[in-house]
Amino acid sequence: MARIVNQTEGSPSPHVNPGTGAYEMISGATGPITKAISRRRSNRRQWRIFECIFMLILDAILISAAVSLAYWVRFYLLLNSPVVRALQHHLLGNTPKPLPPPDPQQLYPMAVSMVIGLIVIFATRKLYYIRLTGSWFHQAWIILNSTTIGIALLIAYYFAFQNSNQLDQSTTFPNSRLLVPFVWVSVIVILCLGRLIISGVMGMLYRLGLGETRVLVVGSGRLGKMIMQHIAANPNLGFSIVGFLHDMNEPPSDFGRFKMLGTIDDLGLAIRSMQVDEVIIALPSNMNQHAVRSVKMCERLGTTFKLIPDLYELSLSRIDMETIEGIPLIGIRQVSLNTAQRIVTRVVDITVATAALVLGSPLWLLIALIIKVTSPGPIVFKQTRVGLNGQHFGIYKFRSMYQDAEQRKMQLQTQNEAQGPLFKMKSDPRRTPFGAFIRRTSLDEIPQIINIIKGEMSLVGPRPPVPREVAQYEEWQKGRLAIKPGLTGLWQVRGRSDISFDEGVLMDLYYIENWSLRLYFQILLRTIPAVLFSRGAY
């Protein structure tokens, strides 16, 4: 998980106000705090400059290596390749005379021009302003576009200034049209691989707390909570959350792992006391004046900030923007699944569910036998759950509890360890010894494959709640019933029972509002390590 930072070494500690439950800052001496903040910002600027210079040098080395690789493939691997010569003999009926490769020194002007040209294009396209982690696809896209532009300029140079003799030793550098696509491919592949490796290394350093960015979130509504969740779920981005400021629209309290450090009026004190590097302002649309004041405060204190607009509770990923003569126009894309997407997900659901049912049948029969032998009662437990659009259906699970589990539940309500309408206990006495094992490994969920085949569930989606829980839902929480329930979901792969109910519901809503085939398969693949390591399962 991402690092949730409460205080920095040498910084003042927050204490809890008994009246409001908010964390207040003990300011202490202003001088040492100001010096510490100034020193930290100076170090961050120096680190950023070093990062840009390092990437410039690395790109220059990688571009040179890519040009050399293309030259070697073209003039050493292919020029006199036995395979190529055999194909020429087979197709043309003659064996061409072996040709000596051009002098490698003739490659230097081309390599130098490619290095300088591409780095200038990269800088113009702001490649070096992009964060190295969490944006590999964006970086790869810029590299692809920029390299294509560079190669187009190179082709124009070939036709304008080079003669047509492909192996004329008098040319400035080897004039081979076949060399151009090799350079294009090798530059893109090597630079993208280099960025991928650097991203992985930086992600590891960030996880260790090196070079991290201390973030304060202004806002305790749905938007602010969702931002904190996604930052915490992606520790490789290098952000550590110091806490959030309450926006006074809800009762003041912590949000799961995230600590409330006060109200939005305490922004200046929180920035100084917690040595905040960046502020994310995520206030509802009816608090625009507070958002403006927060921006002014950040500017006055010299803290970088990001402002997230709240467009009437709409998902930001659905916003479609265009401009007409400089006037921004905002549209909202529909989120409903189209026919093709429904067919693909249904085919995947049936295929994977059927394969799991058939291939895993020996294990499922063994589990059924152990349940039957170790405790009295049915092997499969059927329970009424709430599915798509509030429709009830019967869910199937391997029985993991004693037969009187539902009767004993009322006696254990005072020991409930879950927040919201859920009931969870790490050491639930209603479980059988073998039941505790199959719940921890999620094997008790296997019979739900039948629900998937029947079309009542999908492989990925919000977990289906029981009617009693739905009766306690707040209006915004009912949004998780807008899609077919799933065997696994975003909530499950990010911690399951270790995550509070409200956090989990927000994750379900995020999946619904940002549904895509990519996210569907991403969650499906991430379920495997989540099950193997039993994260948050009990």
Side-chain angles (χ1 to χ4, degrees):
M1 300 301 291
R3 302 182 69 226
I4 313 300
V5 181
N6 291 330
Q7 63 181 51
T8 57
E9 191 174 319
S11 66
S13 304
H15 75 280
V16 181
N17 185 317
T20 64
Y23 283 75
E24 295 182 342
M25 309 299 165
I26 304 175
S27 58
T30 304
I33 294 177
T34 303
K35 291 180 180 178
I37 294 175
S38 177
R39 189 185 313 114
R40 183 176 179 85
R41 289 176 182 168
S42 176
N43 291 339
R44 282 176 53 77
R45 282 193 297 269
Q46 293 173 6
W47 173 259
R48 183 57 186 156
I49 293 172
F50 168 78
E51 188 179 275
C52 289
I53 294 174
F54 173 78
M55 291 309 301
L56 281 169
I57 295 172
L58 180 64
D59 283 347
I61 295 172
L62 292 180
I63 294 170
S64 301
V67 174
S68 300
L69 176 63
Y71 179 85
W72 178 81
V73 171
R74 170 64 184 94
F75 292 111
Y76 285 87
L77 189 63
L78 294 182
L79 183 62
N80 296 311
S81 168
V83 177
V84 175
R85 290 168 62 82
L87 287 173
Q88 288 177 327
H89 177 73
H90 179 72
L91 296 174
L92 303 177
N94 63 341
T95 304
K97 182 180 178 180
L99 296 172
D103 185 356
Q105 291 185 355
Q106 296 176 346
L107 186 68
Y108 294 160
M110 178 184 182
V112 172
S113 62
M114 286 293 295
V115 168
I116 296 175
L118 285 182
I119 287 181
V120 169
I121 297 174
F122 289 159
T124 304
R125 299 292 299 278
K126 299 188 182 301
L127 178 63
Y128 301 108
Y129 288 89
I130 301 175
R131 196 175 186 87
L132 291 175
T133 56
S135 58
W136 182 82
F137 286 102
H138 188 194
Q139 296 178 70
W141 181 249
I142 292 179
I143 290 171
L144 174 61
N145 289 339
S146 301
T147 305
T148 303
I149 294 172
I151 290 296
L153 295 175
L154 180 65
I155 292 173
Y157 175 80
Y158 261 121
F159 279 94
F161 299 104
Q162 297 292 295
N163 61 45
S164 59
N165 185 4
Q166 292 188 4
L167 294 175
D168 186 354
Q169 298 292 329
S170 66
T171 57
T172 304
F173 52 82
N175 187 11
S176 170
R177 292 180 179 87
L178 191 57
L179 180 62
V180 174
F182 285 142
V183 170
W184 180 71
V185 172
S186 60
V187 168
I188 291 173
V189 171
I190 290 179
L191 284 182
C192 288
L193 285 176
R195 294 273 168 167
L196 187 62
I197 294 171
I198 291 296
S199 177
V201 172
M202 292 299 295
M204 292 175 58
L205 294 177
Y206 287 148
R207 288 172 185 269
L208 296 174
L210 301 176
E212 64 185 5
T213 301
R214 294 171 61 82
V215 175
L216 173 69
V217 176
V218 178
S220 57
R222 177 182 169 186
L223 191 62
K225 290 174 180 176
M226 191 171 290
I227 291 298
M228 289 188 285
Q229 284 179 329
H230 291 298
I231 290 176
N234 295 278
N236 60 304
L237 296 178
F239 295 108
S240 61
I241 303 174
V242 300
F244 69 94
L245 296 180
H246 179 52
D247 60 18
M248 296 179 290
N249 280 344
E250 298 176 359
S253 65
D254 293 341
F255 176 58
R257 302 158 287 171
F258 310 105
K259 302 300 180 184
M260 187 182 72
L261 303 179
T263 67
I264 53 179
D265 294 329
D266 302 319
L267 177 59
L269 184 59
I271 291 174
R272 288 188 291 265
S273 301
M274 304 302 290
Q275 297 186 21
V276 173
D277 299 317
E278 186 167 306
V279 174
I280 297 180
I281 303 171
L283 292 172
S285 55
N286 62 345
M287 299 187 70
N288 286 335
Q289 291 298 324
H290 291 279
V292 171
R293 283 202 293 268
S294 298
V295 167
K296 296 296 183 182
M297 177 64 72
C298 292
E299 291 176 339
R300 188 161 60 251
L301 297 177
T303 303
T304 59
F305 63 90
K306 297 290 186 296
L307 185 64
I308 303 177
D310 179 19
L311 297 179
Y312 307 102
E313 298 296 318
L314 292 172
S315 171
L316 296 180
S317 65
R318 296 170 53 196
I319 296 174
D320 187 17
M321 292 191 64
E322 60 178 311
T323 59
I324 296 179
E325 296 296 329
I327 301 174
L329 303 178
I330 298 177
I332 305 299
R333 294 190 294 268
Q334 296 296 319
V335 296
S336 57
L337 279 64
N338 58 42
T339 303
Q341 292 170 333
R342 291 181 187 278
I343 292 174
V344 171
T345 53
R346 185 61 183 146
V347 168
V348 174
D349 285 344
I350 295 176
T351 303
V352 174
T354 304
L357 189 63
V358 174
L359 298 178
S361 55
L363 178 58
W364 317 147
L365 291 173
L366 177 62
I367 292 174
L369 179 62
I370 296 175
I371 293 173
K372 187 65 177 177
V373 171
T374 55
S375 63
I379 295 172
V380 175
F381 173 71
K382 185 177 180 181
Q383 187 181 41
T384 300
R385 295 292 181 100
V386 181
L388 176 63
N389 296 326
Q391 295 179 354
H392 290 200
F393 69 99
I395 196 175
Y396 302 100
K397 300 179 69 172
F398 278 130
R399 183 174 57 83
S400 60
M401 296 187 176
Y402 295 106
Q403 286 184 281
D404 61 346
E406 286 299 316
Q407 291 77 14
R408 296 171 62 186
K409 183 176 180 180
M410 295 303 298
Q411 304 171 8
L412 299 171
Q413 283 292 342
T414 56
Q415 302 178 45
N416 184 16
E417 299 174 12
Q419 297 178 349
L422 298 178
F423 179 85
K424 292 279 187 179
M425 290 180 62
K426 286 187 177 180
S427 301
D428 196 329
R430 301 174 300 158
R431 296 185 197 140
T432 64
F434 184 67
F437 168 76
I438 61 175
R439 285 179 69 93
R440 188 170 60 253
T441 55
S442 301
L443 292 173
D444 63 320
E445 312 284 359
I446 294 302
Q448 290 164 38
I449 291 175
I450 299 173
N451 295 112
I452 294 173
I453 295 174
K454 290 171 64 178
E456 296 167 334
M457 292 178 60
S458 175
L459 286 172
V460 180
R463 288 295 295 157
V466 297
R468 182 178 59 257
E469 294 173 1
V470 176
Q472 302 177 54
Y473 278 5
E474 297 178 21
E475 193 60 35
W476 68 274
Q477 295 170 338
K478 294 178 181 178
R480 68 191 301 264
L481 305 176
I483 198 171
K484 192 182 293 185
L487 186 64
T488 184
L490 199 59
W491 185 347
Q492 283 64 47
V493 299
R494 287 189 177 175
R496 298 175 69 175
S497 298
D498 290 340
I499 294 175
S500 68
F501 178 73
D502 283 348
E503 281 190 78
V505 172
L506 284 174
M507 289 181 185
D508 288 337
L509 295 177
Y510 176 85
Y511 173 74
I512 294 170
E513 295 174 353
N514 298 273
W515 191 97
S516 67
L517 287 174
R518 177 186 173 188
L519 183 58
Y520 173 90
F521 287 111
Q522 200 174 54
I523 294 173
L524 205 57
L525 292 175
R526 290 178 63 181
T527 300
I528 299 172
V531 171
L532 290 177
F533 294 103
S534 302
R535 290 200 297 263
Y538 59 85

